Amino acid sequence: MAGYDYDLFVIGGGSGGVRAARMAAALGKRVGIAEEYRFGGTCVIRGCVPKKLYVYASQFPEHFADAAGYGWTVPQASFDWQTLVANKDREISRLEAIYRKNVQGAGGETFQSRAMLVDPHVVHLLGEDRTVTADQVLIATGGRPAPHPALPGHEHCIFSNEAFDLKELPKAIMIEGGGYIAVEFANIFHGLGVDTTLVYRGKEILSRFDMDLRRMLHETMEKKGIKILCHAVSEWIRKRPDGRLDAVVTGGKVLTVDQVMLAIGRLPNTENMGLEGVGIEMTKTGAINVDQYSRTNVDNIWAIGDVTNRVQLTPVAIHEAMCFIETAFKGNPTAPDHDTIATAVFSQPEIGTVGLSEDEAIKRFSDVEVYRATFRPMRHTLSGRDEKMLMKLVVDSASKKVLGAHILGPDAGEMAQLLGIPLKAGLTKDDFDRTMAVHPTAAEELVTMYKPTYRLKDGERV
Protein backbone atom coordinates (compact mmCIF):
# COMPACT_ATOMS: atom_id res chain seq x y z
CA MET A 1 0.00 0.00 0.00
CA ALA A 2 2.97 2.33 0.51
CA GLY A 3 3.37 2.70 -3.25
CA TYR A 4 0.00 4.42 -3.58
CA ASP A 5 -1.04 7.96 -2.66
CA TYR A 6 -3.95 6.61 -0.64
CA ASP A 7 -4.94 3.39 1.05
CA LEU A 8 -8.55 4.23 0.17
CA PHE A 9 -10.05 6.67 -2.27
CA VAL A 10 -13.81 7.24 -2.09
CA ILE A 11 -15.75 8.62 -5.04
CA GLY A 12 -18.93 10.25 -3.76
CA GLY A 13 -19.44 12.35 -0.63
CA GLY A 14 -22.90 11.21 0.44
CA SER A 15 -23.84 9.48 3.68
CA GLY A 16 -22.26 6.14 2.74
CA GLY A 17 -19.09 7.52 1.21
CA VAL A 18 -18.43 9.98 4.03
CA ARG A 19 -18.97 7.30 6.69
CA ALA A 20 -16.52 4.95 4.97
CA ALA A 21 -13.92 7.69 4.51
CA ARG A 22 -14.20 8.87 8.09
CA MET A 23 -13.99 5.40 9.61
CA ALA A 24 -11.04 4.38 7.43
CA ALA A 25 -9.18 7.59 8.30
CA ALA A 26 -9.88 7.00 12.00
CA LEU A 27 -8.10 3.64 11.62
CA GLY A 28 -5.01 5.51 10.46
CA LYS A 29 -5.50 4.82 6.76
CA ARG A 30 -4.54 7.40 4.16
CA VAL A 31 -7.91 8.43 2.77
CA GLY A 32 -9.09 10.74 0.00
CA ILE A 33 -12.68 11.46 -0.94
CA ALA A 34 -14.03 13.39 -3.94
CA GLU A 35 -17.46 14.98 -4.28
CA GLU A 36 -18.36 16.99 -7.38
CA TYR A 37 -21.37 18.81 -5.92
CA ARG A 38 -21.87 19.15 -2.16
CA PHE A 39 -20.85 16.88 0.69
CA GLY A 40 -23.83 15.18 2.28
CA GLY A 41 -25.20 13.68 -0.92
CA THR A 42 -28.84 13.17 -1.81
CA CYS A 43 -30.08 12.71 1.74
CA VAL A 44 -28.63 15.83 3.28
CA ILE A 45 -28.64 18.21 0.31
CA ARG A 46 -31.67 17.33 -1.80
CA GLY A 47 -33.43 14.41 -0.14
CA CYS A 48 -34.46 13.20 3.30
CA VAL A 49 -33.37 16.18 5.39
CA PRO A 50 -34.85 19.08 3.39
CA LYS A 51 -37.90 16.92 2.65
CA LYS A 52 -38.57 16.36 6.36
CA LEU A 53 -38.18 20.09 7.01
CA TYR A 54 -40.77 20.77 4.30
CA VAL A 55 -43.04 18.09 5.76
CA TYR A 56 -42.95 19.93 9.10
CA ALA A 57 -43.73 23.20 7.34
CA SER A 58 -46.71 21.69 5.54
CA GLN A 59 -48.25 20.29 8.73
CA PHE A 60 -48.82 23.63 10.44
CA PRO A 61 -52.16 24.45 8.77
CA GLU A 62 -53.68 21.33 10.31
CA HIS A 63 -52.08 22.12 13.68
CA PHE A 64 -53.58 25.61 13.57
CA ALA A 65 -57.01 24.21 12.69
CA ASP A 66 -56.85 21.53 15.38
CA ALA A 67 -55.90 24.04 18.07
CA ALA A 68 -59.44 25.45 18.21
CA GLY A 69 -60.79 22.26 19.75
CA TYR A 70 -58.29 22.66 22.57
CA GLY A 71 -59.33 26.21 23.35
CA TRP A 72 -56.80 28.11 21.29
CA THR A 73 -57.76 31.00 19.06
CA VAL A 74 -55.20 31.21 16.29
CA PRO A 75 -55.17 34.36 14.16
CA GLN A 76 -55.25 34.12 10.39
CA ALA A 77 -51.94 32.56 9.37
CA SER A 78 -49.83 33.40 6.33
CA PHE A 79 -47.00 31.48 4.72
CA ASP A 80 -43.85 32.76 3.02
CA TRP A 81 -42.19 30.24 0.69
CA GLN A 82 -38.96 32.23 0.36
CA THR A 83 -38.46 32.21 4.13
CA LEU A 84 -38.78 28.43 4.24
CA VAL A 85 -36.32 27.99 1.36
CA ALA A 86 -33.78 30.37 2.93
CA ASN A 87 -33.98 28.72 6.35
CA LYS A 88 -33.66 25.30 4.74
CA ASP A 89 -30.57 26.47 2.86
CA ARG A 90 -28.90 27.63 6.07
CA GLU A 91 -29.51 24.29 7.76
CA ILE A 92 -28.26 22.31 4.76
CA SER A 93 -25.09 24.42 4.59
CA ARG A 94 -24.50 23.79 8.28
CA LEU A 95 -24.86 20.03 7.83
CA GLU A 96 -22.67 20.01 4.72
CA ALA A 97 -19.87 21.69 6.65
CA ILE A 98 -20.16 19.06 9.38
CA TYR A 99 -19.90 16.20 6.89
CA ARG A 100 -16.75 17.64 5.36
CA LYS A 101 -15.27 18.54 8.75
CA ASN A 102 -15.85 15.03 10.11
CA VAL A 103 -13.76 13.50 7.34
CA GLN A 104 -11.00 16.06 7.69
CA GLY A 105 -11.07 15.79 11.48
CA ALA A 106 -10.43 12.06 11.22
CA GLY A 107 -7.42 12.71 8.98
CA GLY A 108 -8.99 12.26 5.54
CA GLU A 109 -8.46 14.59 2.59
CA THR A 110 -11.48 16.03 0.77
CA PHE A 111 -11.67 17.13 -2.86
CA GLN A 112 -14.39 19.25 -4.44
CA SER A 113 -14.14 17.58 -7.83
CA ARG A 114 -15.65 15.06 -10.16
CA ALA A 115 -13.60 11.86 -10.17
CA MET A 116 -13.13 9.27 -12.90
CA LEU A 117 -11.38 5.91 -12.92
CA VAL A 118 -8.48 5.72 -15.33
CA ASP A 119 -7.20 2.41 -14.04
CA PRO A 120 -8.30 0.16 -11.14
CA HIS A 121 -5.81 2.03 -8.96
CA VAL A 122 -5.79 5.44 -10.65
CA VAL A 123 -8.38 8.21 -10.17
CA HIS A 124 -8.47 11.37 -12.26
CA LEU A 125 -9.72 14.46 -10.43
CA LEU A 126 -11.24 16.60 -13.16
CA GLY A 127 -11.55 19.72 -11.03
CA GLU A 128 -7.81 19.72 -10.36
CA ASP A 129 -6.75 18.10 -13.61
CA ARG A 130 -4.53 15.58 -11.89
CA THR A 131 -4.49 11.92 -11.02
CA VAL A 132 -4.04 10.14 -7.71
CA THR A 133 -3.45 6.48 -6.95
CA ALA A 134 -5.15 4.29 -4.37
CA ASP A 135 -4.86 0.74 -3.15
CA GLN A 136 -8.62 0.42 -2.63
CA VAL A 137 -11.37 2.41 -4.36
CA LEU A 138 -14.92 2.77 -3.09
CA ILE A 139 -17.69 4.05 -5.38
CA ALA A 140 -20.55 5.71 -3.52
CA THR A 141 -22.00 8.11 -6.08
CA GLY A 142 -25.67 7.48 -5.30
CA GLY A 143 -28.51 8.09 -7.73
CA ARG A 144 -30.60 10.76 -9.40
CA PRO A 145 -34.23 11.17 -10.51
CA ALA A 146 -35.07 9.16 -13.61
CA PRO A 147 -35.80 11.41 -16.61
CA HIS A 148 -38.62 10.85 -19.06
CA PRO A 149 -37.12 11.79 -22.45
CA ALA A 150 -39.93 10.04 -24.33
CA LEU A 151 -42.52 12.42 -22.88
CA PRO A 152 -43.27 15.27 -25.29
CA GLY A 153 -42.60 18.45 -23.36
CA HIS A 154 -40.45 16.76 -20.72
CA GLU A 155 -38.15 19.78 -20.76
CA HIS A 156 -40.87 21.75 -18.96
CA CYS A 157 -40.93 19.34 -16.00
CA ILE A 158 -39.10 19.46 -12.68
CA PHE A 159 -37.85 16.72 -10.38
CA SER A 160 -37.50 16.43 -6.61
CA ASN A 161 -34.12 18.22 -6.84
CA GLU A 162 -35.69 21.39 -8.23
CA ALA A 163 -38.82 21.21 -6.06
CA PHE A 164 -36.87 22.34 -3.00
CA ASP A 165 -35.72 25.58 -4.61
CA LEU A 166 -38.56 26.87 -6.77
CA LYS A 167 -38.51 30.66 -7.06
CA GLU A 168 -42.13 30.78 -6.04
CA LEU A 169 -44.70 28.37 -4.67
CA PRO A 170 -46.97 27.15 -7.49
CA LYS A 171 -50.71 27.59 -7.23
CA ALA A 172 -51.25 24.17 -8.86
CA ILE A 173 -48.96 21.20 -9.44
CA MET A 174 -49.21 17.79 -11.06
CA ILE A 175 -46.92 15.10 -9.70
CA GLU A 176 -46.40 11.93 -11.70
CA GLY A 177 -45.45 8.82 -9.78
CA GLY A 178 -46.78 6.67 -6.98
CA GLY A 179 -43.72 5.93 -4.86
CA TYR A 180 -42.78 7.50 -1.56
CA ILE A 181 -41.16 10.57 -3.17
CA ALA A 182 -44.28 11.38 -5.21
CA VAL A 183 -46.61 10.74 -2.28
CA GLU A 184 -44.56 12.78 0.18
CA PHE A 185 -44.27 15.77 -2.16
CA ALA A 186 -48.00 15.60 -2.93
CA ASN A 187 -48.70 15.96 0.78
CA ILE A 188 -46.08 18.71 1.19
CA PHE A 189 -47.42 20.87 -1.62
CA HIS A 190 -51.03 20.31 -0.59
CA GLY A 191 -50.23 21.25 3.00
CA LEU A 192 -48.64 24.48 1.78
CA GLY A 193 -51.84 25.39 -0.03
CA VAL A 194 -51.08 24.15 -3.54
CA ASP A 195 -53.81 22.56 -5.66
CA THR A 196 -52.24 19.11 -6.05
CA THR A 197 -52.92 16.22 -8.42
CA LEU A 198 -51.06 12.91 -8.23
CA VAL A 199 -50.97 10.83 -11.41
CA TYR A 200 -49.88 7.17 -11.16
CA ARG A 201 -49.84 4.41 -13.74
CA GLY A 202 -50.48 1.62 -11.21
CA LYS A 203 -53.69 0.51 -9.57
CA GLU A 204 -52.76 1.89 -6.17
CA ILE A 205 -50.08 4.21 -4.76
CA LEU A 206 -47.01 2.93 -2.88
CA SER A 207 -46.42 -0.47 -4.45
CA ARG A 208 -44.69 -3.03 -2.22
CA PHE A 209 -46.23 -1.54 0.93
CA ASP A 210 -49.05 -3.34 2.72
CA MET A 211 -52.28 -2.92 0.80
CA ASP A 212 -54.27 -1.80 3.85
CA LEU A 213 -51.87 1.09 4.34
CA ARG A 214 -51.98 2.00 0.66
CA ARG A 215 -55.75 2.08 0.44
CA MET A 216 -56.28 3.95 3.69
CA LEU A 217 -53.65 6.58 2.88
CA HIS A 218 -55.17 7.05 -0.58
CA GLU A 219 -58.60 7.62 0.94
CA THR A 220 -57.26 10.01 3.56
CA MET A 221 -55.30 12.05 1.03
CA GLU A 222 -58.37 12.42 -1.16
CA LYS A 223 -60.46 13.52 1.84
CA LYS A 224 -57.88 16.23 2.46
CA GLY A 225 -58.34 17.45 -1.10
CA ILE A 226 -55.46 15.83 -3.01
CA LYS A 227 -56.65 14.52 -6.37
CA ILE A 228 -55.27 11.06 -7.21
CA LEU A 229 -55.55 9.57 -10.70
CA CYS A 230 -54.51 5.91 -10.87
CA HIS A 231 -54.14 3.88 -14.08
CA ALA A 232 -53.00 7.12 -15.71
CA VAL A 233 -49.83 8.65 -17.16
CA SER A 234 -48.99 11.98 -18.72
CA GLU A 235 -49.05 11.86 -22.54
CA TRP A 236 -47.62 15.28 -23.26
CA ILE A 237 -46.80 18.58 -21.59
CA ARG A 238 -47.26 21.90 -23.37
CA LYS A 239 -46.30 25.38 -22.23
CA ARG A 240 -49.07 27.96 -22.57
CA PRO A 241 -48.61 31.60 -23.63
CA ASP A 242 -49.26 32.67 -20.01
CA GLY A 243 -46.37 30.50 -18.80
CA ARG A 244 -48.52 27.80 -17.21
CA LEU A 245 -48.49 24.19 -18.36
CA ASP A 246 -51.15 21.99 -19.93
CA ALA A 247 -50.63 18.34 -19.05
CA VAL A 248 -52.64 15.79 -20.98
CA VAL A 249 -53.09 12.51 -19.11
CA THR A 250 -54.61 9.16 -20.05
CA GLY A 251 -58.11 9.56 -21.40
CA GLY A 252 -57.47 13.03 -22.77
CA LYS A 253 -57.97 14.86 -19.48
CA VAL A 254 -56.14 18.20 -19.50
CA LEU A 255 -54.65 19.53 -16.26
CA THR A 256 -53.58 23.16 -16.28
CA VAL A 257 -50.90 23.67 -13.65
CA ASP A 258 -47.91 25.85 -12.81
CA GLN A 259 -45.49 22.94 -12.40
CA VAL A 260 -45.26 19.30 -13.43
CA MET A 261 -43.00 17.20 -11.23
CA LEU A 262 -41.78 13.77 -12.32
CA ALA A 263 -41.10 11.23 -9.58
CA ILE A 264 -40.95 8.04 -11.63
CA GLY A 265 -37.97 6.33 -10.07
CA ARG A 266 -34.24 6.89 -9.70
CA LEU A 267 -31.16 5.86 -11.65
CA PRO A 268 -27.64 5.12 -10.37
CA ASN A 269 -24.92 7.70 -11.02
CA THR A 270 -22.43 5.66 -13.04
CA GLU A 271 -22.20 7.55 -16.32
CA ASN A 272 -18.94 9.08 -17.57
CA MET A 273 -16.92 7.74 -14.67
CA GLY A 274 -14.65 5.40 -16.60
CA LEU A 275 -16.26 2.31 -15.09
CA GLU A 276 -16.56 0.49 -18.41
CA GLY A 277 -12.94 1.20 -19.19
CA VAL A 278 -11.71 -0.63 -16.11
CA GLY A 279 -14.14 -3.51 -16.69
CA ILE A 280 -16.65 -3.00 -13.89
CA GLU A 281 -19.82 -5.02 -14.47
CA MET A 282 -23.14 -3.17 -14.34
CA THR A 283 -26.81 -3.92 -14.82
CA LYS A 284 -28.87 -2.69 -17.78
CA THR A 285 -29.94 0.33 -15.74
CA GLY A 286 -26.35 1.21 -14.85
CA ALA A 287 -26.25 -0.11 -11.29
CA ILE A 288 -22.92 -1.58 -10.21
CA ASN A 289 -22.97 -5.33 -9.61
CA VAL A 290 -21.42 -6.29 -6.28
CA ASP A 291 -21.06 -9.47 -4.25
CA GLN A 292 -22.41 -9.93 -0.75
CA TYR A 293 -19.47 -7.93 0.64
CA SER A 294 -19.97 -4.95 -1.72
CA ARG A 295 -16.97 -5.87 -3.87
CA THR A 296 -17.22 -5.42 -7.64
CA ASN A 297 -15.77 -7.88 -10.15
CA VAL A 298 -12.57 -5.78 -10.06
CA ASP A 299 -10.73 -6.99 -6.98
CA ASN A 300 -9.79 -3.64 -5.39
CA ILE A 301 -12.95 -1.69 -6.30
CA TRP A 302 -16.02 -1.67 -4.09
CA ALA A 303 -19.44 0.00 -4.29
CA ILE A 304 -22.10 0.84 -1.70
CA GLY A 305 -25.39 2.70 -1.45
CA ASP A 306 -27.88 3.66 -4.14
CA VAL A 307 -25.34 3.20 -6.93
CA THR A 308 -25.69 -0.57 -6.38
CA ASN A 309 -29.52 -0.40 -6.39
CA ARG A 310 -29.89 -2.91 -3.58
CA VAL A 311 -31.94 -0.98 -1.03
CA GLN A 312 -32.14 2.77 -1.67
CA LEU A 313 -32.19 4.12 1.87
CA THR A 314 -29.65 6.33 3.62
CA PRO A 315 -29.24 4.13 6.74
CA VAL A 316 -28.62 1.16 4.42
CA ALA A 317 -25.77 2.99 2.69
CA ILE A 318 -24.26 3.82 6.08
CA HIS A 319 -24.62 0.20 7.21
CA GLU A 320 -22.96 -0.99 4.01
CA ALA A 321 -20.12 1.46 4.65
CA MET A 322 -19.53 0.02 8.11
CA CYS A 323 -19.54 -3.52 6.71
CA PHE A 324 -17.07 -2.44 4.01
CA ILE A 325 -14.67 -1.12 6.66
CA GLU A 326 -14.89 -4.41 8.58
CA THR A 327 -14.23 -6.38 5.42
CA ALA A 328 -11.57 -4.29 3.71
CA PHE A 329 -9.57 -2.98 6.66
CA LYS A 330 -10.29 -5.05 9.77
CA GLY A 331 -9.97 -8.57 8.40
CA ASN A 332 -13.52 -9.33 9.42
CA PRO A 333 -15.55 -10.09 6.28
CA THR A 334 -19.04 -8.74 7.00
CA ALA A 335 -21.95 -8.87 4.59
CA PRO A 336 -24.61 -6.14 4.90
CA ASP A 337 -27.86 -7.45 6.34
CA HIS A 338 -30.71 -6.24 4.15
CA ASP A 339 -33.41 -8.29 5.85
CA THR A 340 -36.25 -6.75 7.90
CA ILE A 341 -35.51 -3.06 7.33
CA ALA A 342 -37.83 -0.57 9.00
CA THR A 343 -38.88 2.36 6.85
CA ALA A 344 -41.26 5.30 6.83
CA VAL A 345 -43.22 7.38 4.37
CA PHE A 346 -43.61 10.94 5.63
CA SER A 347 -47.02 11.39 4.14
CA GLN A 348 -49.85 12.94 6.12
CA PRO A 349 -50.68 10.76 7.95
CA GLU A 350 -47.34 8.97 8.17
CA ILE A 351 -46.62 5.37 7.32
CA GLY A 352 -44.22 3.28 9.38
CA THR A 353 -43.54 -0.30 8.40
CA VAL A 354 -41.15 -3.17 9.02
CA GLY A 355 -41.17 -6.75 7.82
CA LEU A 356 -43.53 -8.55 5.48
CA SER A 357 -46.78 -7.17 4.15
CA GLU A 358 -49.84 -9.39 4.33
CA ASP A 359 -49.53 -10.27 0.63
CA GLU A 360 -45.83 -11.16 1.00
CA ALA A 361 -46.49 -13.24 4.11
CA ILE A 362 -49.14 -15.46 2.52
CA LYS A 363 -46.76 -16.24 -0.34
CA ARG A 364 -44.13 -17.53 2.10
CA PHE A 365 -46.23 -19.00 4.90
CA SER A 366 -49.20 -21.35 4.62
CA ASP A 367 -50.97 -20.18 7.78
CA VAL A 368 -50.98 -16.49 8.71
CA GLU A 369 -52.80 -14.52 11.38
CA VAL A 370 -53.57 -10.83 10.91
CA TYR A 371 -54.19 -8.50 13.85
CA ARG A 372 -55.73 -5.25 12.68
CA ALA A 373 -57.19 -2.19 14.41
CA THR A 374 -58.45 1.14 13.13
CA PHE A 375 -59.33 3.90 15.55
CA ARG A 376 -59.39 7.64 16.01
CA PRO A 377 -56.16 8.87 17.62
CA MET A 378 -56.72 10.60 20.95
CA ARG A 379 -55.25 13.83 19.62
CA HIS A 380 -58.17 14.09 17.18
CA THR A 381 -60.95 13.61 19.74
CA LEU A 382 -61.14 17.28 20.73
CA SER A 383 -59.91 18.71 17.45
CA GLY A 384 -62.77 17.01 15.64
CA ARG A 385 -60.51 15.87 12.83
CA ASP A 386 -62.07 12.88 11.06
CA GLU A 387 -58.89 10.91 10.50
CA LYS A 388 -58.34 7.29 11.46
CA MET A 389 -55.20 5.42 12.49
CA LEU A 390 -54.33 1.88 11.40
CA MET A 391 -52.27 -0.69 13.30
CA LYS A 392 -51.55 -4.10 11.82
CA LEU A 393 -49.46 -7.12 12.81
CA VAL A 394 -48.85 -10.06 10.48
CA VAL A 395 -48.00 -13.28 12.32
CA ASP A 396 -46.94 -16.81 11.35
CA SER A 397 -49.59 -19.02 12.98
CA ALA A 398 -47.23 -21.98 13.47
CA SER A 399 -44.34 -20.24 15.22
CA LYS A 400 -46.20 -17.12 16.37
CA LYS A 401 -43.29 -15.07 15.00
CA VAL A 402 -44.30 -11.52 14.10
CA LEU A 403 -43.53 -11.24 10.40
CA GLY A 404 -44.64 -7.66 9.77
CA ALA A 405 -45.81 -4.56 11.58
CA HIS A 406 -47.55 -1.72 9.75
CA ILE A 407 -48.81 1.64 11.02
CA LEU A 408 -50.62 4.56 9.46
CA GLY A 409 -51.03 7.61 11.66
CA PRO A 410 -49.22 10.23 13.74
CA ASP A 411 -45.60 9.35 14.63
CA ALA A 412 -45.75 6.10 12.64
CA GLY A 413 -42.12 6.54 11.56
CA GLU A 414 -40.93 6.79 15.15
CA MET A 415 -42.86 3.64 16.07
CA ALA A 416 -41.45 1.75 13.07
CA GLN A 417 -37.89 2.40 14.25
CA LEU A 418 -38.65 0.82 17.62
CA LEU A 419 -40.65 -2.03 16.07
CA GLY A 420 -37.61 -2.82 13.96
CA ILE A 421 -35.85 -4.13 17.07
CA PRO A 422 -38.32 -6.89 18.13
CA LEU A 423 -38.94 -7.93 14.52
CA LYS A 424 -35.21 -8.11 13.81
CA ALA A 425 -34.82 -10.17 16.97
CA GLY A 426 -37.49 -12.59 15.77
CA LEU A 427 -39.82 -12.07 18.72
CA THR A 428 -43.24 -13.68 18.78
CA LYS A 429 -46.78 -12.45 19.23
CA ASP A 430 -46.63 -13.95 22.73
CA ASP A 431 -43.72 -11.59 23.49
CA PHE A 432 -45.85 -8.67 22.32
CA ASP A 433 -48.77 -9.88 24.45
CA ARG A 434 -46.57 -10.11 27.56
CA THR A 435 -45.43 -6.52 27.12
CA MET A 436 -47.22 -4.00 29.31
CA ALA A 437 -48.94 -1.15 27.49
CA VAL A 438 -48.09 2.51 27.97
CA HIS A 439 -51.38 4.33 28.47
CA PRO A 440 -52.71 6.51 26.98
CA THR A 441 -50.74 6.16 23.75
CA ALA A 442 -51.58 5.11 20.23
CA ALA A 443 -48.70 2.62 20.27
CA GLU A 444 -50.30 0.60 23.10
CA GLU A 445 -52.57 -0.93 20.46
CA LEU A 446 -49.55 -2.94 19.26
CA VAL A 447 -49.47 -4.90 22.51
CA THR A 448 -53.21 -5.14 23.20
CA MET A 449 -54.49 -6.82 20.03
CA TYR A 450 -54.86 -10.27 21.63
CA LYS A 451 -57.13 -11.98 19.11
CA PRO A 452 -56.51 -12.18 15.36
CA THR A 453 -58.86 -10.15 13.19
CA TYR A 454 -58.70 -12.92 10.58
CA ARG A 455 -56.62 -15.90 9.55
CA LEU A 456 -55.34 -16.92 6.14
CA LYS A 457 -54.63 -20.54 5.17
CA ASP A 458 -53.00 -21.02 1.79
CA GLY A 459 -53.99 -17.42 1.00
CA GLU A 460 -57.69 -17.87 1.80
CA ARG A 461 -59.50 -16.42 4.80
CA VAL A 462 -60.81 -18.97 7.31
Side-chain angles (χ1 to χ4, degrees), residues 311 313 316 337-343 353-355 424:
V311 180
L313 294 170
V316 172
D337 182 358
H338 295 118
D339 186 48
T340 316
I341 298 172
T343 190
T353 185
V354 57
K424 192 70 175 176

Side-chain angles (χ1 to χ4, degrees), residues 178-181 183 200 204-210 213-214 217 345 347 351:
Y180 74 94
I181 295 174
V183 168
Y200 180 49
E204 186 57 276
I205 59 174
L206 293 176
S207 63
R208 296 191 297 275
F209 283 79
D210 188 86
L213 297 180
R214 298 165 67 187
L217 178 61
V345 180
S347 49
I351 281 177

Side-chain angles (χ1 to χ4, degrees), residues 202-229:
K203 67 178 182 179
E204 186 57 276
I205 59 174
L206 293 176
S207 63
R208 296 191 297 275
F209 283 79
D210 188 86
M211 186 56 80
D212 276 344
L213 297 180
R214 298 165 67 187
R215 287 174 179 153
M216 192 164 169
L217 178 61
H218 183 146
E219 292 170 4
T220 306
M221 287 172 63
E222 288 193 321
K223 285 181 180 178
K224 290 175 183 286
I226 299 172
K227 295 177 284 292
I228 301 176
L229 306 178

Side-chain angles (χ1 to χ4, degrees), residues 84-238:
L84 173 61
V85 173
N87 290 342
K88 177 268 297 181
D89 287 343
R90 277 196 296 273
E91 175 61 10
I92 297 311
S93 294
R94 184 186 73 85
L95 293 174
E96 178 188 10
I98 290 173
Y99 268 63
R100 186 192 296 266
K101 183 179 178 181
N102 283 345
V103 173
Q104 295 170 341
E109 189 174 0
T110 60
F111 297 92
Q112 194 77 50
S113 171
R114 183 172 180 82
M116 292 180 62
L117 284 169
V118 178
D119 176 89
H121 293 281
V122 180
V123 178
H124 182 214
L125 300 173
L126 278 71
E128 304 193 4
D129 194 23
R130 69 184 179 100
T131 59
V132 296
T133 60
D135 178 49
Q136 304 294 314
V137 175
L138 176 66
I139 302 171
T141 47
R144 66 188 187 283
H148 194 350
L151 173 65
H154 65 88
E155 66 273 13
H156 302 307
C157 301
I158 64 169
F159 300 91
S160 57
N161 291 358
E162 293 81 23
F164 291 115
D165 299 297
L166 295 172
K167 290 183 179 180
E168 59 183 31
L169 189 66
K171 292 182 173 60
I173 191 169
M174 186 196 94
I175 300 175
E176 181 159 4
Y180 74 94
I181 295 174
V183 168
E184 288 173 340
F185 271 100
N187 282 272
I188 288 170
F189 279 113
H190 171 75
L192 296 178
V194 179
D195 181 3
T196 303
T197 303
L198 187 67
V199 175
Y200 180 49
R201 65 182 179 181
K203 67 178 182 179
E204 186 57 276
I205 59 174
L206 293 176
S207 63
R208 296 191 297 275
F209 283 79
D210 188 86
M211 186 56 80
D212 276 344
L213 297 180
R214 298 165 67 187
R215 287 174 179 153
M216 192 164 169
L217 178 61
H218 183 146
E219 292 170 4
T220 306
M221 287 172 63
E222 288 193 321
K223 285 181 180 178
K224 290 175 183 286
I226 299 172
K227 295 177 284 292
I228 301 176
L229 306 178
C230 290
H231 296 294
V233 297
S234 55
E235 296 182 344
W236 53 260
I237 311 296
R238 182 175 60 200

Side-chain angles (χ1 to χ4, degrees), residues 45-98:
I45 306 301
R46 50 191 179 270
C48 329
V49 172
K51 173 201 69 184
K52 190 70 180 288
L53 296 176
Y54 282 25
V55 167
Y56 288 141
S58 67
Q59 290 173 338
F60 280 100
E62 288 191 355
H63 295 333
F64 296 148
D66 291 349
Y70 287 90
W72 290 93
T73 300
V74 180
Q76 184 66 38
S78 63
F79 172 70
D80 186 77
W81 170 254
Q82 282 75 24
T83 297
L84 173 61
V85 173
N87 290 342
K88 177 268 297 181
D89 287 343
R90 277 196 296 273
E91 175 61 10
I92 297 311
S93 294
R94 184 186 73 85
L95 293 174
E96 178 188 10
I98 290 173

